[in-house]
Amino acid sequence: MPPSYTPTARLRLLVLFLASLSLLFAQTLASSSAAAEVSDPCAAPVSDGGSEAPLCPVRCFRPDPVCGADGVTYWCGCPEAACAGARVARRGYCEVGAGSAPVSGQALLLVHIVWLFVLGAAVLLGFL
């Protein structure tokens, strides 16, 4: 016969399980984002008429945003980041608040939403 648990013990087991699951999820996201940042998106040299160094200031006719390692979006691409002396982390704009955090803001938002659902279910089922 399986052991019977009190509602408080069930809630503790549920919280412990969800906490370990969310930590595992956050660690997986952090390791996958760290592996994705190894390559340099601006590895191809940018040449403008034979000169090796980019001309500063950069004349930008169409936006080609890149996200610098400093968390700043350089709208004119790799040449503008090179003029600023910044290393490019990835192509595309930088997310707000995504500075040097290993986990994106969307992942943390997802964890908070899951916790709210768990709390709501615990209240509805009479655990709290």
Side-chain angles (χ1 to χ4, degrees):
M1 181 172 188
S4 62
Y5 293 107
T6 64
T8 307
R10 287 183 196 164
L11 180 64
R12 288 181 182 162
L13 286 173
L14 181 66
V15 167
L16 182 64
F17 173 73
L18 289 175
S20 60
L21 188 65
S22 65
L23 286 175
L24 180 66
F25 178 68
Q27 184 180 11
T28 304
L29 282 178
S31 65
S32 66
S33 67
E37 292 180 8
V38 172
S39 64
D40 184 16
C42 291
V46 178
S47 65
D48 46 350
S51 64
E52 293 298 322
L55 297 174
C56 295
V58 176
R59 294 186 197 116
C60 183
F61 296 107
R62 67 181 177 96
D64 181 25
V66 294
C67 180
D70 53 359
V72 176
T73 300
Y74 296 97
W75 289 99
C76 293
C78 296
E80 183 183 6
C83 285
R87 187 181 64 83
V88 175
R90 61 184 168 84
R91 293 206 173 268
Y93 62 91
C94 297
E95 295 179 16
V96 175
S100 61
V103 180
S104 73
Q106 290 178 346
L108 293 177
L109 180 64
L110 178 65
V111 169
H112 286 282
I113 290 172
V114 168
W115 278 110
L116 286 175
F117 276 116
V118 169
L119 181 63
V123 169
L124 287 175
L125 296 175
F127 291 122
L128 293 177

